[in-house]
Amino acid sequence: MPRSGRGPMKKRSSHARPQATVRKKILVVEDDATSMKFLSLLLEGAGYEVFQATYSLPALFRVVRNAPDLILADLQMPIMNGLDLIRQLKGHRDTAHIPIVVVTASDDAANQKAAFEAGCVGYHTKPVDARELLKQVAGLVK
Ligand code: MN
């Protein structure tokens, strides 16, 4: 009788997989390397799976490819700014449902108003209050 460690008994049915391995996915869109590193480490430390895009155009590809549960978006970025990115995503039926939280250096009231009008659901100014940001993110992805 042949010995085999690869018989059907070894197979796991998919429902036996622990739920804890299913991490929520967050896309960070940020052109500043220091901010990107800070936000990524913060989110990974909180247990999220992080995807990065250094400006808006690669962010659109990331959204299609990785289907994030939430997006953190900077406002001031080259080629297509964060406001236009939000408008693009909110204007498309496949992406309109994804919550977008702005993380920006701008505390300008007009920018903030425009961002909410474009469809973001949160607005955090740098330096970011990590606790507040994580609290909001957790509420939005659950
Ligand atoms: Mn920027």
Side-chain angles (χ1 to χ4, degrees):
M1 187 173 163
R3 282 186 63 188
S4 171
R6 298 198 296 164
M9 293 300 284
K10 281 283 196 180
K11 278 191 180 162
R12 278 188 175 201
S13 59
S14 59
H15 67 262
R17 218 168 270 155
Q19 282 296 307
T21 61
V22 181
R23 293 186 294 161
K24 294 291 184 180
K25 295 180 282 186
I26 299 182
L27 172 64
V28 181
V29 190
E30 172 62 74
D31 64 330
D32 178 74
T34 305
S35 294
M36 175 65 93
K37 191 172 181 183
F38 170 78
L39 291 169
S40 297
L41 289 174
L42 179 71
L43 294 165
E44 283 168 0
Y48 298 106
E49 184 174 6
V50 174
F51 299 94
Q52 301 180 333
T54 53
Y55 60 104
S56 295
L57 295 180
L60 294 175
F61 289 99
R62 277 282 163 213
V63 169
V64 172
R65 188 167 178 175
N66 303 112
D69 298 292
L70 180 140
I71 297 169
L72 289 193
D74 184 21
L75 285 187
Q76 279 132 338
M77 292 181 288
I79 305 173
M80 181 195 291
N81 69 32
L83 283 180
D84 287 334
L85 174 65
I86 296 169
R87 291 185 188 116
Q88 286 286 334
L89 294 171
K90 290 298 162 184
H92 198 287
R93 65 179 181 184
D94 291 340
T95 55
H97 66 283
I98 305 171
I100 303 177
V101 173
V102 167
V103 177
T104 177
S106 171
D107 59 359
D108 183 73
N111 269 344
Q112 185 164 345
K113 186 168 179 283
F116 279 106
E117 281 171 0
C120 83
V121 290
Y123 193 99
H124 296 257
T125 52
K126 300 170 189 170
V128 165
D129 182 330
R131 207 181 139 107
E132 280 300 310
L133 180 63
L134 287 177
K135 190 175 154 189
Q136 181 172 42
V137 166
L140 289 167
V141 299
K142 78 179 176 204

